[in-house]
Amino acid sequence: MNAELRSRLESIVGPGLVYGPGEPVDGVRPTLAVRPGTQDEVSAVVRACAEAGAAMIPLGGGTSLGLGNPPARADVLVHLDRLDRVVEWDPANLCISAEAGMRLEALQALVAKDRTVLPLDPPGLRRVTLGGMVAANPSGPCRLQYGTVRDWVLGMRVVLPDGERIHCGGRVIKNVSGYDMNKLFIRSLGCLGIITEVTFKLLPMPARRAAVIGRFPDAATAWAVVGRTLASFLLPEALEFLNVEAAQLLGGPPGTCVLAVSLSGSSETVDRQVRDFTGFFQDGGGTADVLQEAAASRAWEGIRDLLEGAYDPILCRIAVPLSATPALVAAAEGMAREAGLKAVVTAHAATGVLRVLLAPGADPHPGEALMVLEGLRREAEAAEGSLVLEAAPRSLKARFDAWGTPPGGVDMMKRLKTEFDPLGICNPGRFVAGI
Ligand SMILES: Cc1cc2nc3c(=O)[nH]c(=O)nc-3n(C[C@H](O)[C@H](O)[C@H](O)COP(=O)(O)OP(=O)(O)OC[C@H]3O[C@@H](n4cnc5c(N)ncnc54)[C@H](O)[C@@H]3O)c2cc1C
């Protein structure tokens, strides 16, 4: 199959754009890799793979390839990096359509020229591509005010696993009639097809930006301030908690945890909120450093990417109801300590999303890390939440399912997968319940 498929792929994309083996995906090395340059070429590549029964893995920026279970099969890696063009930019209607391989950072730089923003801040933003972002539906600290990817997608073009091209949603406004198919592809992790183009709505750029970074002697003091913030009428863009270990990574005095808020809006709104938060932090027993504009953006970049690039990480993401967040942070710290590990924890303090990095994360500690992850998953699920493994060595993944207890409706998800991908060749095995 390989030689025949290789020459068919070369006839579609041209020589030099097919090679093998491809880069490993979560430890599994695809036999071939291909770099189509247009949406038509993606469709022809997918059709060729389908006809050969070859399993495909779409690749964006590669920031999130540890998310999910390792691929059950991997024949062809489909790089989307050459699909990086803007298709249509309509500033008057605050929307933009671009190809899936374009970097989020490049799109944000472009729309900033018109004083507009796409207010998404996933970790690893510099490398994240639009298609990968939609496929993985990540969120960063600004989720508090702006929601997640699914709140900003108006439409998309997708190549289905048999090569057929479809268009969901619309451009300009959200003009869905019938089922909202966009939602099906968002967070489908490339299991239902390859996203080739996405249309986003945009926002006018806020006039000002500032941040208040507070340091607190212990977690209880910081969480009391979070409670006070949630009970107030203030709405920061982001409210992030960093435990002592995470705060240490960010620099600053040892033995303190951090609470940080990001603020944007009109000059008056920002000034007012800076005053209020400075007061909250100091009255609550902490310190408050105010950062403006570029300094504020740099600080948020540091917080957003704090856990990125950790060597051989064991990294999980926990989502729980807001009220359970402080207890989960404490549980992570306690369980890690008992196992002889450290838990570096960051939490979107007002949305109930935590990320826990277990350090040291490499193979010498698989048993201990497994114990901590199992304990944390039990706690999260008891609070009606979930724990998803974002990255871990293969040895650990073999003993701990990345997704946890299958969600309700999993049989329907399996039927949908079979309907879209009867040959089971699109990112097989990576998703929930081995889909
Ligand atoms: C250190 C780190 C921390 C992270 N923290 C968080 C976090 O806190 N919260 C969170 O929500 N996310 C988090 N993520 C996830 C990450 O930010 C997103 O998943 C990212 O947007 C993926 O973009 P990418 O271009 O790198 O995609 P890739 O990593 O290349 O691909 C991601 C998945 O999408 C598939 N895919 C890629 N392109 C396409 C396409 N065009 N069509 C269909 N499928 C495609 C791939 O096969 C793969 O399954 C984190 C990632 C890292 C590395």
Side-chain angles (χ1 to χ4, degrees), residues 231-279:
S232 76
F233 56 88
L234 297 173
L235 181 62
E237 276 185 335
L239 175 63
E240 201 75 355
F241 168 85
L242 275 59
N243 79 341
V244 170
E245 303 289 354
Q248 193 77 68
L249 282 185
L250 201 62
T256 55
C257 32
V258 162
L259 203 55
V261 287
S262 173
L263 306 164
S264 70
S266 69
S267 230
E268 299 74 22
T269 312
V270 172
D271 282 342
R272 169 75 200 269
Q273 296 212 36
V274 164
R275 268 201 313 276
D276 287 341
F277 276 105
T278 303

Side-chain angles (χ1 to χ4, degrees), residues 89-113:
W89 182 18
D90 184 354
N93 287 304
L94 286 175
C95 62
I96 188 164
S97 304
E99 290 178 332
M102 186 175 189
R103 307 253 160 173
L104 174 61
E105 189 183 43
L107 183 132
Q108 287 179 331
L110 182 71
V111 300
K113 291 184 185 155

